Amino acid sequence: EDQVTQSPEALRLQEGESSSLNCSYTVSGLRGLFWYRQDPGKGPEFLFTLYSAGEEKEKERLKATLTKKESFLHITAPKPEDSATYLCAVRAEGANSKLTFGKGITLSVRP
Amino acid sequence: DAGITQSPRHKVTETGTPVTLRCHQTENHRYMYWYRQDPGHGLRLIHYSYGVKDTDKGEVSDGYSVSRSKTEDFLLTLESATSSQTSVYFCAISDGRLVQETQYFGPGTRLLVL
């Protein structure tokens, strides 16, 4: 059974204080790892897809990395507008496009 | 933003009544999905569709049915709503191609079953 574990459950940072969010996964053949951002009362917003170990992707203050067992979402010099819940999901081989999601990490950035 | 709308956006209903939620897309994507999101559980797949009239169950399908008669519309029906189905429901779409299989989500429907 595919599993995704995100840690910590919640993270509070001061503006400008860089940190990382973790997504550990167990999957029978990874076909993609996805990061989403979700603001309160809204649907998840796509951020990144990573397909193979060693791959990295960046967008503004965010950088996602991937190993064979986990992914990190690094946040550099965060701002209050980066406050949101960050979701990680995996797609396994043969999963017919289905995703397995973690429970999410709630990030709060104080000014 | 992906062209996905959900209706209604909010609904309050009573136990035992049938409820239908609608997802409409303007992207002509092949795949459509229904998820529910509950505190402590994350997003869980209810049903999905891989084409018109082609649907399959997800991990939490009991008590739910779906229909897809047109590419653009995917309906989720709660046959007889129960309090345990109080949740936020999200529709998602993807084009289903091998490389670009990102799922894009709608704004959600908040359902309260009394």
Side-chain angles (χ1 to χ4, degrees):
Chain A
E1 181 182 335
D2 303 330
Q3 287 192 321
V4 177
T5 303
Q6 294 188 248
S7 62
E9 290 186 10
L11 183 62
R12 297 183 69 182
L13 299 175
Q14 197 70 33
E15 184 172 2
E17 179 187 2
S18 300
S19 188
S20 297
L21 312 180
N22 177 261
C23 172
S24 298
Y25 64 90
T26 304
V27 66
S28 54
L30 182 69
R31 271 180 56 189
L33 185 141
F34 302 80
W35 282 100
Y36 289 85
R37 169 192 171 125
Q38 187 175 23
D39 293 302
K42 298 195 174 182
E45 175 188 348
F46 170 70
L47 292 174
F48 304 109
T49 307
L50 302 167
Y51 291 102
S52 57
E55 189 175 359
E56 298 183 353
K57 289 191 176 175
E58 289 189 63
K59 180 180 180 180
E60 296 180 354
R61 296 177 292 281
L62 301 176
K63 183 169 83 172
T65 63
L66 181 64
T67 73
K68 289 186 178 180
K69 294 184 178 181
E70 57 192 351
S71 176
F72 290 94
L73 186 64
H74 306 277
I75 303 177
T76 302
K79 298 181 177 182
E81 53 262 41
D82 294 321
S83 298
T85 296
Y86 291 86
L87 306 176
C88 173
V90 297
R91 175 179 290 121
E93 288 183 356
N96 200 12
S97 293
K98 291 185 289 185
L99 295 180
T100 300
F101 279 85
K103 295 179 181 180
I105 298 171
T106 300
L107 173 66
S108 298
V109 182
R110 295 166 289 181
Chain B
D1 292 340
I4 310 169
T5 56
Q6 293 185 232
S7 58
R9 294 293 313 280
H10 303 271
K11 186 168 182 68
V12 180
T13 191
E14 293 186 349
T15 298
T17 60
V19 176
T20 295
L21 308 182
R22 180 183 183 236
C23 177
H24 178 78
Q25 60 142 331
T26 58
E27 306 295 323
N28 200 35
H29 279 1
R30 177 184 174 193
Y31 282 79
M32 298 185 76
Y33 313 80
W34 277 108
Y35 291 87
R36 60 178 290 173
Q37 187 174 42
D38 305 288
H41 287 278
L43 282 159
R44 292 181 291 174
L45 183 65
I46 304 171
H47 282 281
Y48 69 102
S49 168
Y50 46 96
V52 173
K53 298 187 179 179
D54 293 322
T55 65
D56 204 352
K57 297 179 180 180
E59 63 178 299
V60 290
S61 60
D62 288 347
Y64 301 94
S65 63
V66 291
S67 66
R68 191 170 178 199
S69 58
K70 297 185 291 184
T71 299
E72 57 266 35
D73 290 325
F74 193 32
L75 303 180
L76 177 71
T77 298
L78 288 64
E79 312 280 350
S80 176
T82 68
S83 58
S84 64
Q85 293 176 311
T86 291
S87 186
V88 182
Y89 292 85
F90 288 101
C91 174
I93 64 174
S94 69
D95 60 17
R97 286 178 290 173
L98 185 62
V99 175
Q100 295 179 345
E101 293 182 350
T102 299
Q103 291 185 19
Y104 296 94
F105 284 80
T109 294
R110 190 171 296 271
L111 177 67
L112 175 61
V113 183
L114 300 175

